[in-house]
């Protein structure tokens, strides 16, 4: 089955025009989690808290969304973290 992995962040959505042939929904979920991890690693955050998502779909219907919220926090002199936003 062909799955499409659209990328979403605060700037909008980038649609996957190619898709990927995978054997199952579980394989598509696993692939989307890898793509999300890559996006977090490679993403330049426009703000200190950012939600990133991979939207999985077939040509016809949405299947699932895998998302993560990334927050940048600084350590205080006491060693406790605090949000910078």
């Amino acid at each position: 089955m062909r799955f499409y992995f659209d990328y979403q962040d605060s700037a909008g959505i980038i649609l996957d025009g190619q898709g990927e042939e995978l054997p199952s929904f579980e394989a598509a979920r696993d692939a989307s989690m890898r793509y999300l991890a890559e996006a977090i690693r490679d993403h330049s955050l426009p703000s200190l808290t950012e939600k990133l998502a991979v939207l999985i779909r077939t040509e016809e219907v949405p299947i699932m969304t895998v998302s993560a919220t990334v927050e940048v926090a600084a350590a205080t002199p006491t060693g406790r973290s605090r949000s910078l936003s």
Side-chain angles (χ1 to χ4, degrees), residues 11 15 17 25 39 52 55 65 69:
L15 296 176
F25 291 110
L52 308 173
L55 313 169
T65 300
T69 301

Side-chain angles (χ1 to χ4, degrees), residues 7-14 34-54 68-72:
Y7 173 79
Q8 182 178 24
D9 64 12
S10 61
I13 297 177
I14 299 171
R34 283 192 310 277
Y35 298 148
L36 183 61
E38 290 171 12
I40 291 169
R41 184 189 68 220
D42 299 339
H43 197 71
S44 174
L45 298 175
S47 65
L48 298 173
T49 302
E50 180 79 9
K51 182 175 180 181
L52 308 173
V54 175
T69 301
V70 179
E71 181 178 17
V72 178

Side-chain angles (χ1 to χ4, degrees), residues 3-85:
F3 294 93
Y4 296 84
F5 300 91
D6 303 331
Y7 173 79
Q8 182 178 24
D9 64 12
S10 61
I13 297 177
I14 299 171
L15 296 176
D16 174 4
Q18 286 186 271
E20 184 176 343
E21 269 309 309
L22 294 169
S24 65
F25 291 110
E26 292 79 12
R29 182 199 61 218
D30 293 347
S32 69
M33 292 182 74
R34 283 192 310 277
Y35 298 148
L36 183 61
E38 290 171 12
I40 291 169
R41 184 189 68 220
D42 299 339
H43 197 71
S44 174
L45 298 175
S47 65
L48 298 173
T49 302
E50 180 79 9
K51 182 175 180 181
L52 308 173
V54 175
L55 313 169
I56 308 166
R57 62 182 171 85
T58 65
E59 273 193 278
E60 298 83 24
V61 295
I63 304 294
M64 70 181 84
T65 300
V66 176
S67 65
T69 301
V70 179
E71 181 178 17
V72 178
T76 64
T78 62
R80 295 184 182 182
S81 65
R82 65 178 177 81
S83 176
L84 295 175
S85 55

